Amino acid sequence: MTETITVDRPRERVALITLNRPKALNALNLRAMREITGAAAELDGDPEIGAIVLTGSPRAFAAGADIKEMAPRSFSDVHAADWFAGWDALSRVRKPLVAAVAGYALGGGCELAMMCDLLIAAETAKFGQPEITLGVIPGMGGSQRLTRAVGKAKAMDLCLTGRTMDAQEAERAGLVSRIVPADTLLDEALDAAATIAGMSAPATMMAKEAVNRAFETGLSDGLLFERRVFHSTFATHDQKEGMAAFTEKREPRFRHA
Ligand code: CO8
């Protein structure tokens, strides 16, 4: 039984993980980390699921790591437990993850959204890395993923001043895939996830892997990786079906294999 999240299947081949700690603005405690990564890993292994949406509430996607849980810890505590390393499990999810963000996405909340593949923001979304105001720094990837997403100038601004940026600024900076009205956020995110889940599952996993490789490697190695993965799509049923459907002017019937 989960305490910090709910998990649903609102559309064919689409799963929805909703953060559910409203009184703490969905602050991410250790239990939330275990439940979110556990649910995502389980859905990742489920052949009936093609994409996963992660969302919070209209007021907060997540207002950060749980400050009250962190406050009493010593260096030895957080170092010995390798505090936050458990979140790496989310980066190992191979199916596409869509973040649907309304309200606050601060600190660990912003970092959680950045671990997803598409980031769809409501007009109400606010992003920031305010850890500096607490006397610490980002600990779940903020200094790394934010810098890769928006560049040094804006990442330094956010990490050093702790200020927040609104959805418009975040989209201009390249952090956000799309901005939508707050009342349609979940529908838009589920529609995007359903579109992705309707594509060939091996192809979506390969596309995700190839784009992510761009953050890990130099251009020539990245291009070679892409080309070899492209070649391997020709081993799938879905490549034959997708190209046959185009030629025959009909919709493809992917087998996700
Ligand atoms: N952790 C715990 N509780 C929180 C958090 C949080 N991050 N954010 C909000 N809450 C709680 C509040 O304490 C409050 O609870 P209560 O009613 O019991 O007092 C409740 O949620 C509602 O919050 P507010 O009353 O503050 O609501 P407001 O609308 O006035 O303000 C804000 C909303 C602006 C979002 C405000 O709550 C805020 O500033 N929150 C903290 C934001 C923040 O600093 N986040 C970063 C946290 S640190 C982090 O994420 C990574 C740390 C990496 C460290 C690495 C160590 C190894």
Side-chain angles (χ1 to χ4, degrees):
M1 188 64 193
T2 54
E3 182 184 289
T4 65
I5 57 168
T6 58
V7 181
D8 303 284
R9 294 171 183 235
R11 304 268 170 94
E12 203 183 334
R13 296 185 54 75
V14 172
L16 172 66
I17 301 176
T18 307
L19 277 62
N20 189 29
R21 296 190 72 209
K23 287 189 187 133
L25 300 184
N26 291 330
L28 302 165
N29 58 10
L30 291 177
R31 181 156 188 158
M33 178 180 81
R34 280 194 294 271
E35 291 185 351
I36 293 167
T37 55
E42 200 176 314
L43 294 164
D44 200 29
D46 185 338
E48 299 304 315
I49 293 297
I52 304 163
V53 176
L54 183 61
T55 198
S57 71
R59 192 166 164 217
F61 177 72
D66 191 318
I67 298 168
K68 291 166 191 168
E69 186 181 60
M70 276 185 295
R73 310 283 169 151
S74 68
F75 166 77
S76 302
D77 294 338
V78 295
H79 181 258
D82 205 3
W83 199 269
F84 293 150
W87 284 108
D88 290 348
L90 206 59
S91 314
R92 289 194 292 274
V93 169
R94 296 173 70 204
K95 289 182 183 156
L97 284 164
V98 178
V101 177
Y104 297 111
L106 301 179
C110 185
E111 293 166 307
L112 177 58
M114 290 191 293
M115 283 180 225
C116 297
D117 304 306
L118 262 76
L119 202 169
I120 303 187
E123 291 152 336
T124 57
K126 286 194 188 321
F127 299 90
Q129 298 292 159
E131 290 88 347
I132 201 80
T133 67
L134 302 167
V136 295
I137 72 164
M140 286 164 51
S143 67
Q144 304 303 301
R145 290 199 179 91
L146 184 66
T147 309
R148 282 167 169 76
V150 306
K152 176 179 168 179
K154 212 164 270 286
M156 283 290 190
D157 185 359
L158 295 171
C159 290
L160 291 176
T161 70
R163 79 170 175 91
T164 58
M165 62 179 172
D166 64 16
Q168 300 290 344
E169 183 181 358
E171 191 193 31
R172 279 199 306 276
L175 184 66
V176 161
S177 313
R178 311 178 194 172
I179 303 178
V180 298
D183 56 355
T184 64
L185 172 69
L186 190 55
D187 271 343
E188 300 259 7
L190 292 173
D191 285 351
T195 299
I196 294 166
M199 306 295 176
S200 162
T204 58
M205 288 159 73
M206 289 178 196
K208 169 172 172 163
E209 202 166 28
V211 172
N212 279 335
R213 186 52 72 106
F215 292 99
E216 309 280 352
T217 191
L219 183 60
S220 56
D221 283 347
L223 290 171
L224 179 60
F225 179 82
E226 178 192 79
R227 204 158 59 243
R228 293 290 176 249
V229 175
F230 165 75
H231 295 160
S232 72
T233 61
F234 286 73
T236 65
H237 161 273
D238 289 348
Q239 173 269 330
K240 300 285 173 284
E241 168 60 12
M243 293 191 177
F246 175 82
T247 312
E248 294 159 19
K249 300 188 188 301
R250 59 171 175 81
E251 289 297 309
R253 288 181 295 272
F254 290 128
R255 246 193 244 160
H256 308 295

